[in-house]
Amino acid sequence: MSAPLTLAARIEALLFLAPDPVSTEELADALQTSEEAVTNALVTLEGALDGRGLVLKRIGGGVVLASHPDAEESARRLLSRPRTPALTPAQAETLAIVAYLQPVSRPEVARIRGVASESATTALADRGLIEEAGRSQFGAVLYRTTPLFLKLFGLDSPEALPDVAQWDPSPEEAQALRDRLLRAGEARTSG
């Protein structure tokens, strides 16, 4: 069992996750501690990062983790590579269907989504996230996910996908949700 994290280590974790500079006040609030404790821990963290690839930078009234200035040229080359754009909602839906039902045909995907899926499947295949996996008994192309999909989603295999049932409400949860919606609707009409 590992030792509990120090305040400086917990701040490091928060700064790693934060997309924008984080103020001392925000860190203190998130960590349920004083701003003075955060300030002291930032000094400790700054010392711990000395000689490492990351540094603390104070920007815009907050603190961020940044690459060391000596690594900037290398970082610029790495980050100048073309970035893959985010998936559209249609592509995300199609990818989820293929991932959970593979191998699955485009007509089956379209039936599940309720709309044509040619563009989404073509885009996903072009991006290397899905590939052809043979033909159905009716001659339609079947699709499956690729090793790139597994890598990008941090999975060992398609079987490692989260269980879909975890998002399905139990009958009790569905009834409770239905009751809450009815009460909210009644409150709106009577108010």
Side-chain angles (χ1 to χ4, degrees):
M1 190 164 133
S2 61
L5 291 179
T6 64
L7 183 58
R10 291 176 26 218
I11 290 172
E12 180 181 19
L14 294 180
L15 294 177
F16 174 77
L17 295 172
D20 298 312
V22 183
S23 71
T24 304
E25 181 183 344
E26 291 171 312
L27 288 168
D29 183 53
L31 294 162
Q32 298 292 288
T33 191
S34 71
E35 288 184 46
E36 182 181 351
V38 168
T39 300
N40 293 335
L42 285 169
V43 170
T44 301
L45 177 57
E46 199 163 22
L49 293 173
D50 189 36
R52 309 272 315 261
L54 296 175
V55 295
L56 278 182
K57 271 191 170 178
R58 283 157 177 74
I59 299 173
V63 183
V64 296
L65 280 177
S67 59
H68 192 283
D70 292 349
E72 284 183 25
E73 186 178 323
S74 300
R76 198 172 290 112
R77 281 193 302 273
L78 176 67
L79 298 176
S80 69
R81 297 186 322 206
R83 291 280 185 199
T84 305
L87 296 176
T88 66
Q91 291 167 354
E93 287 176 5
T94 301
L95 184 57
I97 292 167
V98 172
Y100 278 99
L101 301 179
Q102 59 187 309
V104 62
S105 69
R106 191 167 43 212
E108 289 174 295
V109 171
R111 184 179 52 78
I112 293 166
R113 290 190 60 231
V115 294
S117 299
E118 291 83 14
S119 176
T121 51
T122 299
L124 292 170
D126 289 347
R127 291 174 74 164
L129 296 172
I130 64 173
E131 64 188 4
E132 290 187 15
R135 300 240 173 217
S136 73
Q137 64 186 31
F138 305 108
V141 173
L142 295 172
Y143 292 96
R144 67 176 171 222
T145 56
T146 64
L148 176 60
F149 165 83
L150 297 175
K151 177 183 170 191
L152 292 176
F153 285 85
L155 302 170
D156 288 331
S157 69
E159 291 75 29
L161 284 164
D163 183 10
V164 176
Q166 75 182 6
W167 293 292
D168 287 337
S170 68
E172 297 80 21
E173 292 168 329
Q175 185 60 47
L177 178 59
R178 196 172 293 112
D179 292 344
R180 282 180 41 213
L181 290 172
L182 286 172
R183 283 194 306 275
E186 290 169 358
R188 288 185 79 187
T189 57
S190 66

